[in-house]
Amino acid sequence: MIERYLRAGVRFLWNKPPDNLGNVGGAIVASTGAATPLIYDGLDGHPDMLDPQIPRNPNVEHVLGIAVGATVPYAWLDYAPGRTAQKPMAAGDVLTGYMSGCLIARGTLGGATSAFHLGTIDSRPEVNRTVKEVFHAALPADATGFFPNRHWPPGEVQYLQERLGGTAGTAVILGLVTATGTFFSVLMFQIQEPVAGGGGTVSFTNPAGLRYWCVGGIKRVQALNRAQLENELR
């Protein structure tokens, strides 16, 4: 399960798959986006940022059980604004994002145990009502879920950014649904580098065009049960 790699202070090369844009009618649709490479890039150079369970010895090449440059496998669940994206869990551990206020759910629908990303839009309350109504009507009997964004208060995010010594750029939150049905909320920082001459910072990529990221932290989240989800969807 990929949560063992997504630990504070671990760096990756990665680009988020594009959003699944379309109508905003609230339908439950198949997630069609492909996972982009998530490449282990070693440990961040700020020791205060590192998960305390990871050895500090810089000579430990395989500290996470994988070599630098290895690709971590995962499946991607689309963010489909104005609709709910569905990804069968047969694909394995599922990542989705970026998260603001969307609900991530898991349950059996159409004969397949799946992960769902309700594509609510912050500025469109009327669309959000439709998305919730449609999903509520189809809510699986075994449904569980969580809100990844609720587990990273702004003050904590800012504190972790500061521990990265000014190299942390955009902070994003990802939702993780493991193959066994466990929920995690993952904080990621897009790494920046200083501009020559003291002109601030700029995000940078490797020659293949992949962005550099550092995991800010990962939290296992207690699942909401079906009754709690019904309350959230009303």
Side-chain angles (χ1 to χ4, degrees), residues 46-231:
H46 296 85
D48 289 343
M49 189 67 189
L50 201 60
D51 184 318
Q53 296 185 17
I54 296 178
R56 266 47 176 186
N57 186 344
N59 297 318
V60 179
E61 181 182 2
H62 299 271
V63 66
L64 296 182
I66 55 174
V68 171
T71 298
V72 175
Y74 71 99
W76 181 255
L77 170 61
D78 291 339
Y79 169 54
R83 292 162 292 151
T84 293
Q86 176 181 3
K87 186 79 171 184
M89 291 304 305
D93 296 330
V94 171
L95 280 173
T96 190
Y98 306 137
M99 306 306 308
S100 54
C102 296
L103 169 67
I104 304 303
R106 180 182 186 274
T108 305
L109 186 66
T113 300
S114 302
F116 304 88
H117 185 149
L118 276 70
T120 53
I121 306 170
D122 290 342
S123 61
R124 300 288 300 275
E126 75 288 353
V127 170
N128 298 345
R129 282 194 296 272
T130 301
V131 171
K132 293 177 181 180
E133 287 170 357
V134 172
F135 189 69
H136 185 269
L139 190 64
D142 59 348
T144 55
F146 75 126
F147 290 88
N149 68 302
R150 294 182 180 179
H151 302 278
W152 294 103
E156 184 177 6
V157 173
Q158 181 179 354
Y159 169 71
L160 292 170
Q161 282 179 313
E162 291 170 354
R163 292 180 74 175
L164 278 168
T167 61
T170 302
V172 303
I173 296 170
L174 301 177
L176 167 62
V177 184
T178 72
T180 58
T182 306
F183 296 137
F184 290 88
S185 182
V186 184
L187 177 67
M188 301 278 282
F189 293 108
Q190 187 174 311
I191 298 301
Q192 298 180 329
E193 64 177 348
V195 174
T201 59
V202 64
S203 298
F204 67 110
T205 61
N206 80 334
L210 298 174
R211 297 189 181 278
Y212 288 87
W213 296 85
C214 181
V215 180
I218 182 169
K219 296 180 181 180
R220 182 171 177 169
V221 178
Q222 180 67 40
L224 300 172
N225 60 33
R226 191 179 191 280
Q228 291 170 317
L229 292 178
E230 285 188 317
N231 288 332

